[in-house]
Amino acid sequence: MSSLVKDAKLEAAEPLVGNSQDEHHEHHEHHATGIKRWLYTTNHKDIGSLYLWFSFMMFLIGGAMAMVIRAELFQPGLQLIEPHFFNQMTTVHGLIMVFGAVMPAFTGLANWMIPLMIGAPDMALPRMNNWSFWILPFAFAMLLGSLFMEGGGPAFGWTFYAPLSTTFSGDSTAVFVFSVHIMGISSIMGAINVIVTIVNLRAPGMTWMKLPLFVWTWLITAFLLIAVMPVLAGAVTMILTDKFFGTSFFDAAGGGDPVMFQHIFWFFGHPEVYIMILPAFGIISAIVPAFSRKRLFGYASMVYATASIAGLSFVVWAHHMFTTGMPVAAELFFMYCTMLISVPTGVKVFNWVATMWRGSISFEAPMLFALAFIVLFTIGGLSGLMLAITPVDFQYHDTYFVVAHFHYVLVTGAIFSIMAGAYYWLPKWTGHMYSESLAKWHFWCSLISVNVLFFPMHFLGLAGMPRRIPDYALQFADINKVVSIGGFAFGLSQLIFLVLVIKCIRGGQQAQAKVWDGAEGLEWTVPSPAPLHTFETPPTVK
């Protein structure tokens, strides 16, 4: 009965357009300042900002490692570094970009935007929210610190296949395993927080089919995280016991099976790919309607497509393993399931294009990155469809074609969408408009260089250049030189973004509450910058 009364009170509440100055001032009086503010904060906006800055820092560190890789591959022969250090760079680059750059960036966007989008005062579990962030810097400090240990850091690829990882001579394996565990714990805590917040703290009147698509994609992503992070934890724990405690899960001599590791890893690894792309779909689904000044075409089909992609992601893992000698029936099953995923993904691309059809489109930075995402992510999807065809995959497997494919998905997919979201919401976060001319420079430099960097890799792969090698045959030299130049240009382009964000935080034209003409949603009803505390009285969604 009391909950009914509470609901009735919520229904009667006035929509909140912004806190009064007194309220705003009062909260700031009780608020810690300096380093304590960031260490002890339980505010979703502060924690979102911490995640975003942390992920950008990791993006630059991971990018620096990619620069080391591309400098070594600029021409044939061993130029700058030892092969063992090259392997450390490829391994740690992958781990940092996946777990340190892309995932925390999406978590930061979720922390900042989900409460604003659903009319919640904060995340449901604020202390756990603080904890889930602050364990991350320690995890990555350990991972990076392992590079300075005797024998060097992990050098067995970011997929850490056994028996390579279980027989690795360095001392860093245990540190690597521990840091992966901590990253996983952080992800699971963040995912639980997202689910509880969305289920319990939606504003009155915000039914499931009124949720913004970014919220839907994150809700589905959170369930994926809870399902697969324990699988990763199991895989690395078995590596640990094989290496240090005499078990033989993956050692054929002791009755184990090295291929079993691949099954366990990819059962985590393939849903992980969708963990890194579903929130991107949500961001693009917010930006395209806003700059087309139209409602999103086919909202319900987008929700069902997202759920279908998540469901199918659990039954396609072995398409990474076509060359391991699977039975033909299994190869056919995984081939058809993989192809099936392209249907709901195609629905999304169609809906974005249909949203733009006859819209009144303007091309500010968020829309430019969103359009680049749609075109380039589709290229990544099509090369993925090529890799799904079993007999053809025998040719592509473990070549630079695969490297080109997943970088089109994760750089021009996940990272371009994060950039688009950052430009879209930056005025709401800082209260200032960013420099549109600098943003356009950032966009065009990134767009051109990223294609110079990754597109020629398709041809390297088709010509037979294997991945993860520090040296190569002379016939690959010219294309590798072009690729390396593209890599350095792309890396330097990201410094424009850093300058732009710092300038925007320091000042600029004052942003309105509703920054973009066509934008809709509760986040555009609060002032810019968003006050520290919002929606203490829940808004009513009509």
Side-chain angles (χ1 to χ4, degrees), residues 169-226:
S169 59
D171 297 334
S172 56
T173 309
V175 175
F176 151 76
V177 169
F178 191 40
S179 66
V180 168
H181 273 300
I182 297 176
M183 295 167 205
I185 291 165
S186 169
S187 294
I188 290 169
M189 291 200 293
I192 290 169
N193 211 345
V194 165
I195 293 169
V196 176
T197 303
I198 296 169
V199 171
N200 290 331
L201 296 186
R202 300 194 309 283
M206 183 163 279
T207 57
W208 286 109
M209 294 314 272
K210 282 184 191 168
L211 284 181
L213 256 165
F214 180 68
V215 179
W216 259 119
T217 53
W218 241 110
L219 180 67
I220 291 164
T221 300
F223 279 108
L224 283 179
L225 278 164
I226 290 170

Side-chain angles (χ1 to χ4, degrees), residues 41-42 67 109 221 264 286 313 379 386 397 458 468:
T41 183
T42 52
M67 296 300 95
L109 291 170
T221 300
I264 297 167
S313 74
I379 291 173
M386 292 168 70
H397 188 79
H458 292 104
R468 295 188 187 141

Side-chain angles (χ1 to χ4, degrees), residues 380-405:
L382 287 170
S383 62
L385 208 50
M386 292 168 70
L387 289 159
I389 303 166
T390 309
V392 185
D393 183 74
F394 275 64
Q395 177 68 26
Y396 302 145
H397 188 79
D398 264 346
T399 69
Y400 260 78
F401 190 89
V402 180
V403 179
H405 156 69

